[in-house]
Every structure is written in structure tokens, then in C-alpha cells.
Amino acid sequence: MDKDQIINQQLRLQQLLISISTEYINADLQNIDGLINNSLQKMGEFVEADRSYIFSYNLTDNTTNNTHEWCAPGIEPEIQNLQNIPVEYIPQWLEAHKKNEAFYIQDLSKLPDDGEFGLKAILEPQGIQSLIAIPMIKTGELIGFVGFDSVKKLFDYSENEKNILFVFANMLVNVIQRKENEERINEQEEKKEILLQNLEKKNQALNEYAHVVSHDLKAPLRSINTLISWFKEDNAEILDKKNKQSLDFILSIVEKMDLLIKGILVYSTIDKLENEDRTIELTILIDEVIRTIHVPNHIEIVFKNEMPKVYGNDFRFKQLFQNLIQNSIKFNDKENGFVEIGSNENENEIEFYIKDNGIGINERYQSKIFDLFSKLENNDQSSGIGLSIVKKIIDLYGGKIWLESQEAIGTTFYFILPKK
């Protein structure tokens, strides 16, 4: 073969590799076996081999298996006969591959006779005259090899051809790895979907349970409240101060329990509301909230600016601002207290803040206050759910919330909501 023929052959071989690579990139990997067999045929025909194949190594069990095979017309397939072959039968073969070298037999007839389990005894029944086997290495691990058998005639591989076959082996490794990654992703997605379905069922069951429990608990709580109130009225003349204090304490516990049940119901249903989203005038909504809550005379609520319009669920936004404003009022110990409400916005989002000059929050508690049932004091009437509801609503709208606080100085809650 003259120089021009060699150059022309190398160009055609490189074009073939580009064609195979393009197929690997664009193909549906669900049919990876057909894809690999097709590329084995193209490469086998190009190098004038009579059989091309892929073997996988299992170096834990010290075996090798024929996984893919292409045979030229008139050549008997051997894939069924080449399963679970002990690697001890091919020590020279394995040793070369561990060094990332090709195992090449230019003329099988020149191999020494090394017994019935020797390499020559294994290969001769397959009619092989020449063969080359290129290692397949994935992230430093030997996983198999791609081989080419010449049955009808001897074949002498040049160094350039060997180099091209190494490139082909790497392409096979990449497509196999891509398939493994895709299967792993699909498996994780399936697990994720199952987990989400199970979680949805559990959430549904918990919501139903919360409603049932709240209904079952509210009735006896109302009865207890009514009976104690009647008892106090009917026996007002004979009850001493200590008796009245005890009954009032029971009534306060009943009230606290009722508040807790209401909080649990809101928390469990806040993300299950039917779609009733609309454009909301926040200034009007917050005014309505302030009129429905108790604002002591020593607390002044001021707006820093006109509140923007938002798009969302009316009930959720009422819960959001009600809980934050009530929190600022409840924990304000100043003679002249204030709650300041303001906002800033840009093209993509709106930042809100609610600022007070109350008792402040110790730094060690600041990361916990959004946790469910988290309370800074155990002797107050709060349920420990209000700020958890706030956090859940903001999460539902894809926002975030944080705070800045100093003890005895006050607290500012900030939260950001993306614009729709």
C-alpha cells in the first residue's frame, strides 16, 4: 500500500468514527444494543474483519462474557459459547489489557501448544487466524474489551489502525457510561415519583386526620368552656377568689387549646386551597387585617409607603400579614410601641418588611422561630404555629424570609416575593 492509499484509508477511517460518534450522540439510548451492534458491523467491515465483538470483564468473579457480536456472512457466531470464561485461561490477554495495551495475535498458528485450556486451544475451534483485542477502560477501571477476528485470512494491523481502534473502544465506553447514567437517573426519578406519591397520600391522610381531630376536639372544648362559665355564674356567691382563679386558669387552657387547633388547621390546609388567585390591593387587605385584630392603645401601626399590588390567594396573604403584625404587637414591651410596614420593589421581585421596637429575639433562637410549635415563651397564649404558617406561605410563592433583631431594641422581618 503506497503513501496516498494509506492517507486515504486513514481519512475514511476517521470519517467512519465521526459518523459512529454522531449516531451515538443523537441516538435513542433505549436501543443501545442495536446501536452497538451496528457500529461493530461498520468497524468490522472497514478493517476487513470476519467477526467483531465486545466482552465484559468481571474481575470480582474472574470471568469474562461475550455481550455483543457481529459476524460476516458465512461466519459462525460464537457468542453463546463464550459466556463465563475464566480469565485464568487468557492470562497474557488480561495482562496486556490491565496495562491499557492491545492484545494482538498476527498469526494464531504460531502460538505454542499450551494444553486443552490454553489460548490456542480456545481460539483454534473458532477458525481464527488473526485477532486484536482493545481494552475498554472507564474512569481507570478495566471493564472489558472490543475485539476483531480474521477467520478467512491473516490480517496485519498497522499502528495507525490500532490507534483508531483505541478511539473506537473509548467511544464504546462513553456510550455505555451514558446509558448507565441515564438508567441511574431514570431509576432515581422513578423512586422520586413513588416517594412523592406516597408523600401526597400521607399528606392527604394527615390533612383528613387534622380535620377529624379538630372537629372531635372542638366540640368537647366548647362544652367545657360553656359548663365552666355556667358553673361560675350559678355559684358566684359561694366561690372564693382561689376557686375563681382555678376556673379561669382552666378556661385559659381551653382557649389556648382552641387556638392551637385553629393554627394546626390553617397550617395543614394553607397549601391545599383551591385556585382563587386574584390581583390583591395590599394596602386595603392589610387595613382589613388591622381592623380584625386587637391593637392596644400604646401601639401605633404605620405604613412607610403605599403597598404594591400582588397576585395570589386572599386568605394566604391575610394569614401572612396577620401573623407577622400580631407577632410584632404581642412582643412589644415599650410604652410607645410601633409597627412599621413597608416595601421596595424592582423589576423581578418585591421586598417587604415589618419592623417593631419590641423585646427583640436572642440570636440563638433566630434560626428556630419558623419551626412548627417553636415558642420563645411557654407561658403565653400563642400556639407556636404563626411564624411557621408565614414561612410556608412564602415558600409556596417561591420567596424567602429572614429577620434582623436586637434584644430590647426590636425586630424587623424581611421577606421577598417574586413578581408573577
Side-chain angles (χ1 to χ4, degrees), residues 12-28:
R12 290 190 297 114
L13 191 52
Q14 289 174 19
Q15 289 171 353
L16 175 60
L17 285 177
I18 292 171
S19 172
I20 293 173
S21 177
T22 302
E23 287 181 2
Y24 283 173
I25 293 171
N26 297 324
D28 180 1

Side-chain angles (χ1 to χ4, degrees), residues 222-277:
R222 283 193 295 268
S223 298
I224 292 171
N225 188 291
T226 302
L227 288 171
I228 291 177
S229 298
W230 286 350
F231 184 83
K232 285 178 64 179
E233 292 176 7
D234 294 343
N235 298 277
E237 295 179 359
I238 62 174
L239 291 173
D240 59 24
K241 184 178 180 180
K242 186 175 181 180
N243 295 145
K244 291 178 180 178
Q245 286 177 341
S246 296
L247 292 172
D248 288 340
F249 179 69
I250 294 173
L251 286 174
S252 71
I253 293 176
V254 171
E255 183 182 349
K256 188 174 182 179
M257 188 68 179
D258 185 62
L259 186 64
L260 179 62
I261 291 169
K262 288 178 181 177
I264 292 173
L265 270 176
V266 171
Y267 185 84
S268 65
T269 58
I270 200 73
D271 57 343
K272 301 295 187 298
L273 297 172
E274 295 296 327
N275 285 330
E276 297 177 355
D277 291 348

